[in-house]
Amino acid sequence: MSSDQQVVSLCDAYKDYFPIGAAVSSRCIHTHRDLLLRHFCSVTATNEMKFSSIHPDEGSYQFVLADSIVEFAEANDMLIRGHTLVWHQQTPERVFIDSDGASASRDLLLSRMRDHIETVVSRYKGRVYCWDVVNEAIDDKGSDYLRPSKWLQIIGPDYIEKAFEYAHAVDPDALLFYNDYNAVAPYKREKIMRLITELQQKGIPIHGIGLQGHWNIYWPSVDEIRYALDDYARLGLTIQITELDLSVFAYGDTRIDLTEPTSEMMELQAKRYEELFRLFREYKGVISGVTFWGIADDVTWLHNFPVRGRRDWPLLFDCEHQPKESFYRVARF
Ligand code: GLA
């Protein structure tokens, strides 16, 4: 295929299905501007709206970088997904400590959480259309239910419902999501189903579930994802794939010697992307957005993670910002 100019826009291809989004940084809205404007109609700030970025010190909010992403999106008629209000990572330690250096009390931490949510959600009210209110609250271990984060240890399990209530009170029109990884794996799916069911039984305002979609070219199977979509759809919430990327490495593969992906890897990735988007299109009634965690393979969190010194090639565009075979299999159907 020739130049990008002759390539169909992803967003146009999916206009009858769901918006296609990308996680962006305040830098890549410049460095990846052409790709973004051509193919994506929704953005998520990769880090700029997280607690430690937007609220690094007590009483001090830093909105400049998040604002630049919001303004870029608005200037180009793009949707904005807010990410994320309450998470166990990228939250300053000081949030959990009182002025004497001791652990914060439940009341103090709740009031800090409330202040954070109210300030951030109200700043972007009517501009951010949905929020990942709570991120990754479920534990990975066996039958353990909630992750033993500081939020849980200090406030108790109701920190989750409080977060949704505070966000809803400020912006009743925003769609509020619970977001997690490995959300299609049966061990985790059952716990997420339990959490959402409990929230719904208490009348907590929760509207969506975010399946992060940090997957690879071997896992999970399409059937496993289908099963999860069916299960979550029964809860009556909208579903979004919020952080999609397909690593070319299987779990446990620690090779670091590749300087470019093999043709087998790229073919398998293209086949997987094709199958996944066929499934997503089939579920367009319940899926209301698909967001990639990045734009092109030159910038991805998977360089160096989970294996230091290793590169990865998980997205639809290559390091030169050209469409990969994976792109064509998603865009042409
Ligand atoms: C999680 C978070 C994201 C991001 C990725 C890794 O999935 O939700 O914000 O930090 O990890 O980049």
Side-chain angles (χ1 to χ4, degrees):
M1 184 76 197
S2 48
S3 89
D4 190 43
Q5 296 314 309
Q6 292 157 284
V7 168
V8 64
S9 148
L10 264 187
C11 267
D12 285 351
Y14 279 83
K15 66 179 186 319
D16 295 332
Y17 293 90
F18 32 71
I20 304 283
V24 301
S25 64
S26 52
R27 185 176 139 75
C28 78
I29 55 176
H30 305 292
T31 56
H32 293 63
R33 182 185 168 85
D34 292 350
L35 276 185
L36 259 175
L37 295 185
R38 183 159 176 78
H39 292 291
F40 299 92
C41 36
S42 171
V43 294
T44 305
T46 314
N47 289 306
E48 289 78 350
M49 289 187 183
K50 289 175 179 168
F51 207 126
S52 56
S53 304
I54 209 164
H55 187 183
D57 298 303
E58 181 96 46
S60 162
Y61 287 85
Q62 302 292 336
F63 292 116
V64 177
L65 298 180
D67 281 358
S68 70
I69 293 173
V70 170
E71 285 158 14
F72 168 85
E74 287 179 334
N76 294 292
D77 293 325
M78 300 165 107
L79 295 167
I80 306 156
R81 292 198 86 251
H83 176 82
T84 174
L85 297 169
V86 178
W87 191 27
H88 64 287
Q89 287 186 25
Q90 291 179 257
T91 305
E93 264 309 296
R94 56 109 188 138
V95 172
F96 306 105
I97 291 169
D98 70 13
S99 53
D100 297 325
S103 176
S105 66
R106 168 181 158 92
D107 283 352
L108 177 60
L109 187 54
L110 266 178
S111 77
R112 283 180 174 156
M113 183 172 94
R114 181 177 203 145
D115 170 76
H116 176 79
I117 291 175
E118 288 179 353
T119 306
V120 176
V121 174
S122 68
R123 183 170 187 93
Y124 299 116
K125 182 174 178 171
R127 306 166 81 189
V128 164
Y129 85 103
C130 71
W131 277 102
D132 289 332
V133 177
V134 176
N135 199 30
E136 304 178 352
I138 295 292
D139 204 274
D140 283 310
K141 288 187 292 302
S143 58
D144 291 0
Y145 178 36
L146 296 178
R147 179 187 299 278
S149 66
K150 293 261 173 62
W151 296 110
L152 178 73
Q153 286 165 346
I154 296 173
I155 298 176
D158 61 340
Y159 86 88
I160 299 173
E161 55 204 72
K162 296 284 185 206
F164 279 91
E165 284 174 345
Y166 296 158
H168 185 66
V170 180
D171 189 352
D173 294 330
L175 296 174
L176 304 184
F177 279 70
Y178 175 73
N179 190 49
D180 214 330
Y181 62 87
N182 285 0
V184 305
Y187 83 95
K188 201 126 170 209
R189 195 186 67 232
E190 285 162 20
K191 293 191 248 186
I192 296 173
M193 292 283 290
R194 172 179 162 190
L195 173 65
I196 291 170
T197 305
E198 287 173 1
L199 293 174
Q200 288 179 317
Q201 282 167 351
K202 289 179 183 163
I204 303 301
I206 175 167
H207 313 108
I209 162 138
L211 316 183
Q212 290 187 359
H214 293 301
W215 296 326
N216 65 46
I217 59 176
Y218 305 100
W219 176 90
S221 71
V222 170
D223 282 349
E224 200 165 336
I225 301 171
R226 176 189 293 281
Y227 194 91
L229 290 172
D230 286 338
D231 224 8
Y232 289 130
R234 273 194 282 279
L235 297 172
L237 301 183
T238 189
I239 299 172
Q240 295 195 359
I241 314 297
T242 53
E243 304 185 20
L244 182 61
D245 46 21
L246 290 187
S247 169
V248 301
F249 297 100
Y251 288 121
D253 184 340
T254 55
R255 279 177 297 160
I256 57 168
D257 51 334
L258 287 181
T259 53
E260 55 183 58
T262 65
S263 52
E264 289 78 17
M265 284 170 165
M266 288 297 89
E267 180 47 40
L268 201 47
Q269 185 185 66
K271 186 164 164 284
R272 289 272 290 152
Y273 266 124
E274 181 178 0
E275 289 171 355
L276 289 180
F277 275 81
R278 188 182 302 129
L279 179 73
F280 298 160
R281 291 193 300 272
E282 198 187 315
Y283 280 76
K284 72 172 185 177
V286 290
I287 293 180
S288 57
V290 175
T291 289
F292 289 86
W293 204 247
I295 303 162
D297 286 343
D298 54 332
V299 180
T300 161
W301 73 293
L302 292 170
H303 294 327
N304 284 315
F305 183 87
V307 177
R308 274 188 76 79
R310 184 173 81 182
R311 291 190 73 78
D312 206 334
W313 299 272
L315 298 163
L316 300 187
F317 298 92
D318 68 19
C319 295
E320 279 72 49
H321 298 190
Q322 295 305 307
K324 294 160 59 176
E325 180 60 23
S326 291
F327 168 85
Y328 294 112
R329 303 278 188 94
V330 171
R332 293 180 178 157
F333 52 88

